[in-house]
Amino acid sequence: MAKLGDMPEASLDDIPFERALHYACRDADGTARVKPQLATRLDAMGLRDVYRLELDTYHLIDRMMMVGVKPDLAHFAELSFKLQGEIEDIQYRLEKATGRDSFNANSGDQVEDYLFGTLGLPSEKKTKGGQYSTNDIILEGLEKAYGLTYPVIGDIRAYRETYKLKNTFVDRIPDFVHRWPFDGRVHATFRTTRVVTGRLAASNPNLLAQPEHGKFAKDFKRGWVADDGHVLGAWDESQIELRVLAHLSQDPVLLAAYREGRDLHAALAVRIFGGIEADHKKGTGRLAAKAINFGIPMGMQAQGLALQLKKNGLVDIDEDDAQKWLDETAALYKRVVAYKASRISEARRQGYIRCLSGRIRYIGGIRSWDEATRAEAERFAFSTPIQEGAQWIMKAAEARVWRDVIRPLQRSGYWIEPLMQVHDCLKLEMDESLAPDVHALMVWAMTKAVDGMISVPLAVEGEYGLNFAEMEDFNEHND
């Protein structure tokens, strides 16, 4: 590789043509030489199908980076002002709770001193400098364990998150817009090799960091808009992780709920709160049950459940009640409990687990003598196949949408482009006249992407609108 001297950052555009040409040729030659060896390893490890699926999604992902998404810069400037007010409010609460003027939640030293010194909270992880770590993983664990007793932990996390969103995301959107190709759109970089479950990752900016729920979620979504004559569309694979769990565990309750089209959350609410399903079609009972159902694939613990329900303003319960609810859930989904045990046993025996797509994840610490390390590894052994299975379905859906929906319409002269994939939702921009027909095609392509390969039917919900916050349900429009 050509050395660039003292240049802190550069691209091929900054390098003389002869050197760039030499580098590109060496890069291509090295790739061609190593391909046969890697192909042999793929076959030996049973990963050929994983590789093929990754390649099938690259057309759509590359197009997303090329097309970009249009921001409303005036709206994001206003949002920046609102976020600054939120930061100041949290700062006031932190100073009041800690009794320290100018408490800096972004300072590792100050947070370490208060949490582990003043409050005396336990911490086992230290930085290279010998200090106790206060990164978000540590704080998240502390909040789950002590957040009900010490709300200041949640405020520290909220401050850091809001500060980061404002200063590294919202305030930088104009910078991203004023880059090549200077078309008034934000062109993020997407990668499929950064996350062990195969989930898509984004950078410059991280579009996946936008909040989907919470105080400012709608304001964020409202900032992404369609060009004149176009509309935005968003199609979400409904309850995809729970459907994957139903397939993997073969739990009869989960299978029946999805095959019969029943309300899974209302059914669990009946189990916990009593009554009949009609009583829980809406309200906090169903929302609490929904939080439990969606927490299952993540290995949710009682303290984490109690904290989440309280933070979301649903139910104020203690850890004992949360544990009872989790026990009720375990009694309802008996095969899920057995499946979890089998996955942990598999990981302990092999040192890795193989997921639905064939992807392998090595589970370090599964045989550790340290209880905390082993417990975390066991959660990974259970949750990774579920999360990876959801991404496998999304990638299969992306490949089919590109092949059977987007490309045929583009060849017919219509304007339709992929913008981003956020978790289980695929977002497009298209000619306004296309919307109703595209919805039917998207539902067909996404529900049939893995047809016959899982035990329950998939369901896709679609919305469209001029921005991602104010969208109309396709089905309601058609009705």
Side-chain angles (χ1 to χ4, degrees), residues 204-245:
N204 297 321
N206 181 6
L207 294 176
L208 304 183
Q210 300 175 80
E212 288 295 302
H213 308 284
K215 188 173 182 179
F216 293 100
K218 275 204 167 184
D219 275 330
F220 271 90
K221 295 178 182 179
R222 193 173 288 113
W224 303 111
V225 298
D227 265 330
D228 293 340
H230 294 174
V231 293
L232 304 175
W235 287 268
D236 181 66
E237 291 272 15
S238 175
Q239 300 180 13
I240 186 171
E241 290 188 342
L242 286 173
R243 293 174 193 270
V244 170
L245 178 59

Short mmCIF file of all heavy atoms in Angstrom, two decimals, residues 204-245:
data_model
loop_
_atom_site.label_atom_id
_atom_site.label_comp_id
_atom_site.label_asym_id
_atom_site.label_seq_id
_atom_site.Cartn_x
_atom_site.Cartn_y
_atom_site.Cartn_z
N ASN A 204 -21.12 7.24 9.06
CA ASN A 204 -20.99 8.48 8.29
C ASN A 204 -22.25 8.89 7.50
O ASN A 204 -22.17 9.12 6.30
CB ASN A 204 -19.81 8.38 7.33
CG ASN A 204 -18.49 8.23 8.04
OD1 ASN A 204 -18.26 8.84 9.07
ND2 ASN A 204 -17.64 7.39 7.50
N PRO A 205 -23.39 9.08 8.16
CA PRO A 205 -23.66 8.90 9.59
C PRO A 205 -24.24 7.52 9.87
O PRO A 205 -24.60 6.78 8.94
CB PRO A 205 -24.72 9.99 9.86
CG PRO A 205 -25.52 10.01 8.58
CD PRO A 205 -24.53 9.75 7.47
N ASN A 206 -24.35 7.21 11.15
CA ASN A 206 -24.96 5.94 11.54
C ASN A 206 -26.47 6.09 11.55
O ASN A 206 -27.08 6.46 12.56
CB ASN A 206 -24.46 5.52 12.93
CG ASN A 206 -25.04 4.19 13.36
OD1 ASN A 206 -25.73 3.52 12.58
ND2 ASN A 206 -24.79 3.80 14.59
N LEU A 207 -27.09 5.82 10.42
CA LEU A 207 -28.55 5.97 10.31
C LEU A 207 -29.30 5.02 11.24
O LEU A 207 -30.46 5.25 11.56
CB LEU A 207 -28.98 5.73 8.86
CG LEU A 207 -28.49 6.77 7.84
CD1 LEU A 207 -28.89 6.36 6.43
CD2 LEU A 207 -29.01 8.15 8.17
N LEU A 208 -28.62 3.95 11.66
CA LEU A 208 -29.28 3.00 12.57
C LEU A 208 -29.32 3.51 13.99
O LEU A 208 -29.97 2.92 14.85
CB LEU A 208 -28.54 1.65 12.53
CG LEU A 208 -28.40 1.02 11.15
CD1 LEU A 208 -27.73 -0.34 11.27
CD2 LEU A 208 -29.76 0.86 10.47
N ALA A 209 -28.63 4.64 14.27
CA ALA A 209 -28.64 5.20 15.62
C ALA A 209 -29.85 6.09 15.86
O ALA A 209 -30.04 6.57 16.98
CB ALA A 209 -27.36 6.02 15.85
N GLN A 210 -30.66 6.29 14.84
CA GLN A 210 -31.86 7.10 15.05
C GLN A 210 -32.80 6.38 16.01
O GLN A 210 -33.02 5.18 15.89
CB GLN A 210 -32.59 7.29 13.72
CG GLN A 210 -31.77 7.98 12.66
CD GLN A 210 -32.52 8.02 11.35
OE1 GLN A 210 -33.38 8.86 11.16
NE2 GLN A 210 -32.21 7.11 10.46
N PRO A 211 -33.35 7.10 16.98
CA PRO A 211 -34.27 6.46 17.93
C PRO A 211 -35.56 6.05 17.25
O PRO A 211 -36.16 6.83 16.51
CB PRO A 211 -34.50 7.55 18.98
CG PRO A 211 -34.24 8.84 18.26
CD PRO A 211 -33.16 8.54 17.27
N GLU A 212 -35.98 4.83 17.49
CA GLU A 212 -37.25 4.35 16.96
C GLU A 212 -38.40 4.64 17.91
O GLU A 212 -39.55 4.70 17.50
CB GLU A 212 -37.16 2.83 16.70
CG GLU A 212 -36.30 2.47 15.50
CD GLU A 212 -36.89 2.97 14.19
OE1 GLU A 212 -38.04 2.61 13.86
OE2 GLU A 212 -36.20 3.75 13.50
N HIS A 213 -38.08 4.78 19.19
CA HIS A 213 -39.10 5.05 20.20
C HIS A 213 -38.55 6.12 21.14
O HIS A 213 -37.36 6.35 21.22
CB HIS A 213 -39.44 3.77 20.99
CG HIS A 213 -39.80 2.61 20.11
ND1 HIS A 213 -41.01 2.50 19.48
CD2 HIS A 213 -39.08 1.51 19.76
CE1 HIS A 213 -41.04 1.37 18.77
NE2 HIS A 213 -39.87 0.76 18.93
N GLY A 214 -39.43 6.74 21.87
CA GLY A 214 -38.99 7.72 22.86
C GLY A 214 -39.39 9.14 22.49
O GLY A 214 -40.08 9.40 21.51
N LYS A 215 -38.89 10.08 23.28
CA LYS A 215 -39.32 11.46 23.25
C LYS A 215 -39.08 12.14 21.91
O LYS A 215 -39.90 12.93 21.43
CB LYS A 215 -38.61 12.23 24.37
CG LYS A 215 -39.10 13.64 24.59
CD LYS A 215 -38.45 14.24 25.82
CE LYS A 215 -38.98 15.64 26.10
NZ LYS A 215 -38.36 16.21 27.32
N PHE A 216 -37.93 11.84 21.28
CA PHE A 216 -37.58 12.56 20.06
C PHE A 216 -37.64 11.69 18.81
O PHE A 216 -37.18 12.11 17.74
CB PHE A 216 -36.18 13.16 20.20
CG PHE A 216 -36.09 14.25 21.23
CD1 PHE A 216 -35.60 13.97 22.50
CD2 PHE A 216 -36.52 15.52 20.95
CE1 PHE A 216 -35.52 14.97 23.46
CE2 PHE A 216 -36.45 16.53 21.90
CZ PHE A 216 -35.95 16.25 23.16
N ALA A 217 -38.19 10.49 18.93
CA ALA A 217 -38.20 9.57 17.79
C ALA A 217 -38.94 10.15 16.58
O ALA A 217 -38.44 10.12 15.44
CB ALA A 217 -38.82 8.24 18.20
N LYS A 218 -40.13 10.71 16.82
CA LYS A 218 -40.89 11.26 15.70
C LYS A 218 -40.19 12.45 15.07
O LYS A 218 -40.24 12.65 13.85
CB LYS A 218 -42.30 11.65 16.15
CG LYS A 218 -43.29 10.51 16.14
CD LYS A 218 -44.71 11.02 16.01
CE LYS A 218 -45.65 9.87 15.66
NZ LYS A 218 -47.03 10.35 15.43
N ASP A 219 -39.55 13.27 15.91
CA ASP A 219 -38.83 14.42 15.38
C ASP A 219 -37.69 13.98 14.47
O ASP A 219 -37.42 14.62 13.45
CB ASP A 219 -38.28 15.27 16.52
CG ASP A 219 -39.29 16.27 17.04
OD1 ASP A 219 -40.14 16.71 16.25
OD2 ASP A 219 -39.25 16.59 18.24
N PHE A 220 -37.00 12.91 14.83
CA PHE A 220 -35.94 12.40 13.97
C PHE A 220 -36.52 11.92 12.64
O PHE A 220 -36.00 12.24 11.57
CB PHE A 220 -35.22 11.24 14.67
CG PHE A 220 -34.06 11.69 15.51
CD1 PHE A 220 -34.24 12.00 16.85
CD2 PHE A 220 -32.80 11.80 14.98
CE1 PHE A 220 -33.19 12.42 17.64
CE2 PHE A 220 -31.73 12.21 15.76
CZ PHE A 220 -31.93 12.52 17.09
N LYS A 221 -37.57 11.13 12.71
CA LYS A 221 -38.14 10.56 11.49
C LYS A 221 -38.71 11.65 10.58
O LYS A 221 -38.69 11.51 9.36
CB LYS A 221 -39.24 9.56 11.86
CG LYS A 221 -38.73 8.33 12.60
CD LYS A 221 -39.88 7.42 12.97
CE LYS A 221 -39.40 6.22 13.76
NZ LYS A 221 -40.50 5.31 14.16
N ARG A 222 -39.22 12.72 11.19
CA ARG A 222 -39.81 13.80 10.39
C ARG A 222 -38.76 14.53 9.55
O ARG A 222 -39.09 15.19 8.57
CB ARG A 222 -40.53 14.78 11.32
CG ARG A 222 -41.45 15.75 10.61
CD ARG A 222 -42.25 16.59 11.60
NE ARG A 222 -43.29 15.77 12.24
CZ ARG A 222 -43.30 15.45 13.53
NH1 ARG A 222 -42.33 15.89 14.33
NH2 ARG A 222 -44.27 14.71 14.03
N GLY A 223 -37.51 14.38 9.91
CA GLY A 223 -36.45 15.08 9.19
C GLY A 223 -36.04 14.43 7.88
O GLY A 223 -35.29 15.03 7.10
N TRP A 224 -36.51 13.20 7.62
CA TRP A 224 -36.18 12.53 6.35
C TRP A 224 -37.39 12.63 5.43
O TRP A 224 -38.48 12.16 5.77
CB TRP A 224 -35.80 11.08 6.61
CG TRP A 224 -34.67 10.93 7.56
CD1 TRP A 224 -34.71 10.43 8.82
CD2 TRP A 224 -33.31 11.32 7.34
NE1 TRP A 224 -33.48 10.47 9.41
CE2 TRP A 224 -32.58 11.02 8.52
CE3 TRP A 224 -32.62 11.90 6.27
CZ2 TRP A 224 -31.22 11.26 8.65
CZ3 TRP A 224 -31.26 12.15 6.41
CH2 TRP A 224 -30.57 11.83 7.58
N VAL A 225 -37.21 13.22 4.27
CA VAL A 225 -38.34 13.60 3.42
C VAL A 225 -38.16 13.05 2.01
O VAL A 225 -37.07 12.65 1.59
CB VAL A 225 -38.50 15.14 3.36
CG1 VAL A 225 -38.80 15.69 4.76
CG2 VAL A 225 -37.23 15.80 2.80
N ALA A 226 -39.28 13.07 1.26
CA ALA A 226 -39.28 12.63 -0.13
C ALA A 226 -39.09 13.82 -1.06
O ALA A 226 -39.47 14.95 -0.74
CB ALA A 226 -40.59 11.92 -0.46
N ASP A 227 -38.50 13.60 -2.22
CA ASP A 227 -38.40 14.63 -3.24
C ASP A 227 -39.79 14.94 -3.80
O ASP A 227 -40.74 14.15 -3.63
CB ASP A 227 -37.49 14.16 -4.38
CG ASP A 227 -36.05 14.63 -4.21
OD1 ASP A 227 -35.86 15.71 -3.62
OD2 ASP A 227 -35.14 13.92 -4.67
N ASP A 228 -39.90 16.06 -4.48
CA ASP A 228 -41.18 16.44 -5.09
C ASP A 228 -41.65 15.35 -6.06
O ASP A 228 -40.86 14.84 -6.88
CB ASP A 228 -41.03 17.76 -5.86
CG ASP A 228 -40.77 18.94 -4.93
OD1 ASP A 228 -41.08 18.82 -3.73
OD2 ASP A 228 -40.24 19.96 -5.42
N GLY A 229 -42.93 15.00 -5.94
CA GLY A 229 -43.50 13.97 -6.80
C GLY A 229 -43.25 12.56 -6.34
O GLY A 229 -43.69 11.61 -6.98
N HIS A 230 -42.50 12.42 -5.23
CA HIS A 230 -42.19 11.10 -4.69
C HIS A 230 -42.87 10.90 -3.34
O HIS A 230 -43.32 11.87 -2.71
CB HIS A 230 -40.67 10.93 -4.50
CG HIS A 230 -39.90 10.93 -5.76
ND1 HIS A 230 -38.52 10.92 -5.79
CD2 HIS A 230 -40.29 10.93 -7.06
CE1 HIS A 230 -38.10 10.91 -7.03
NE2 HIS A 230 -39.15 10.93 -7.82
N VAL A 231 -42.93 9.66 -2.88
CA VAL A 231 -43.34 9.33 -1.52
C VAL A 231 -42.34 8.34 -0.94
O VAL A 231 -41.62 7.66 -1.68
CB VAL A 231 -44.76 8.73 -1.45
CG1 VAL A 231 -45.82 9.74 -1.85
CG2 VAL A 231 -44.86 7.48 -2.32
N LEU A 232 -42.30 8.29 0.36
CA LEU A 232 -41.48 7.31 1.07
C LEU A 232 -42.36 6.12 1.45
O LEU A 232 -43.54 6.28 1.75
CB LEU A 232 -40.88 7.92 2.33
CG LEU A 232 -40.04 9.18 2.16
CD1 LEU A 232 -39.61 9.72 3.52
CD2 LEU A 232 -38.81 8.90 1.29
N GLY A 233 -41.77 4.95 1.45
CA GLY A 233 -42.48 3.75 1.88
C GLY A 233 -41.64 2.98 2.88
O GLY A 233 -40.40 2.95 2.76
N ALA A 234 -42.29 2.37 3.87
CA ALA A 234 -41.58 1.58 4.88
C ALA A 234 -42.34 0.28 5.09
O ALA A 234 -43.55 0.29 5.35
CB ALA A 234 -41.48 2.36 6.19
N TRP A 235 -41.64 -0.84 4.96
CA TRP A 235 -42.25 -2.16 5.12
C TRP A 235 -41.53 -2.92 6.22
O TRP A 235 -40.32 -3.12 6.17
CB TRP A 235 -42.19 -2.93 3.80
CG TRP A 235 -43.15 -2.39 2.80
CD1 TRP A 235 -44.44 -2.78 2.58
CD2 TRP A 235 -42.91 -1.32 1.87
NE1 TRP A 235 -45.02 -2.03 1.58
CE2 TRP A 235 -44.10 -1.12 1.13
CE3 TRP A 235 -41.81 -0.50 1.60
CZ2 TRP A 235 -44.21 -0.15 0.14
CZ3 TRP A 235 -41.91 0.46 0.62
CH2 TRP A 235 -43.10 0.63 -0.10
N ASP A 236 -42.30 -3.33 7.22
CA ASP A 236 -41.76 -3.93 8.43
C ASP A 236 -42.18 -5.39 8.54
O ASP A 236 -43.37 -5.71 8.41
CB ASP A 236 -42.25 -3.15 9.66
CG ASP A 236 -41.69 -3.71 10.95
OD1 ASP A 236 -40.47 -3.63 11.15
OD2 ASP A 236 -42.48 -4.24 11.75
N GLU A 237 -41.19 -6.27 8.76
CA GLU A 237 -41.50 -7.69 9.02
C GLU A 237 -42.03 -7.79 10.44
O GLU A 237 -41.30 -7.61 11.41
CB GLU A 237 -40.24 -8.54 8.86
CG GLU A 237 -39.73 -8.67 7.44
CD GLU A 237 -40.37 -9.84 6.69
OE1 GLU A 237 -41.39 -10.37 7.18
OE2 GLU A 237 -39.85 -10.21 5.63
N SER A 238 -43.32 -8.07 10.59
CA SER A 238 -43.98 -8.03 11.89
C SER A 238 -43.51 -9.15 12.82
O SER A 238 -43.52 -10.32 12.45
CB SER A 238 -45.50 -8.14 11.69
OG SER A 238 -46.18 -8.20 12.93
N GLN A 239 -43.07 -8.76 14.03
CA GLN A 239 -42.68 -9.69 15.09
C GLN A 239 -41.74 -10.78 14.58
O GLN A 239 -41.89 -11.96 14.90
CB GLN A 239 -43.94 -10.31 15.71
CG GLN A 239 -44.88 -9.29 16.32
CD GLN A 239 -46.12 -9.89 16.94
OE1 GLN A 239 -46.20 -11.10 17.15
NE2 GLN A 239 -47.09 -9.06 17.26
N ILE A 240 -40.77 -10.38 13.80
CA ILE A 240 -39.93 -11.34 13.09
C ILE A 240 -39.12 -12.22 14.04
O ILE A 240 -38.98 -13.43 13.83
CB ILE A 240 -39.02 -10.62 12.08
CG1 ILE A 240 -38.25 -11.62 11.22
CG2 ILE A 240 -38.09 -9.65 12.77
CD1 ILE A 240 -37.51 -10.96 10.07
N GLU A 241 -38.59 -11.63 15.14
CA GLU A 241 -37.77 -12.43 16.05
C GLU A 241 -38.62 -13.46 16.80
O GLU A 241 -38.16 -14.58 17.04
CB GLU A 241 -37.03 -11.52 17.02
CG GLU A 241 -35.94 -10.70 16.36
CD GLU A 241 -35.09 -9.96 17.34
OE1 GLU A 241 -35.52 -9.79 18.50
OE2 GLU A 241 -33.98 -9.53 16.96
N LEU A 242 -39.85 -13.10 17.16
CA LEU A 242 -40.72 -14.06 17.83
C LEU A 242 -41.15 -15.17 16.88
O LEU A 242 -41.32 -16.32 17.29
CB LEU A 242 -41.95 -13.35 18.40
CG LEU A 242 -41.70 -12.52 19.66
CD1 LEU A 242 -42.93 -11.72 20.04
CD2 LEU A 242 -41.27 -13.42 20.82
N ARG A 243 -41.31 -14.83 15.62
CA ARG A 243 -41.64 -15.87 14.63
C ARG A 243 -40.46 -16.83 14.45
O ARG A 243 -40.65 -18.05 14.31
CB ARG A 243 -42.03 -15.24 13.30
CG ARG A 243 -43.34 -14.46 13.36
CD ARG A 243 -43.64 -13.72 12.06
NE ARG A 243 -44.71 -12.76 12.25
CZ ARG A 243 -46.01 -13.01 12.09
NH1 ARG A 243 -46.37 -14.22 11.69
NH2 ARG A 243 -46.92 -12.09 12.28
N VAL A 244 -39.26 -16.28 14.44
CA VAL A 244 -38.07 -17.13 14.38
C VAL A 244 -37.99 -18.03 15.61
O VAL A 244 -37.69 -19.22 15.52
CB VAL A 244 -36.80 -16.27 14.24
CG1 VAL A 244 -35.55 -17.13 14.42
CG2 VAL A 244 -36.77 -15.58 12.89
N LEU A 245 -38.28 -17.46 16.78
CA LEU A 245 -38.27 -18.25 18.01
C LEU A 245 -39.31 -19.36 17.95
O LEU A 245 -39.05 -20.49 18.40
CB LEU A 245 -38.54 -17.35 19.21
CG LEU A 245 -38.61 -18.03 20.58
CD1 LEU A 245 -37.31 -18.74 20.90
CD2 LEU A 245 -38.93 -17.02 21.68
#
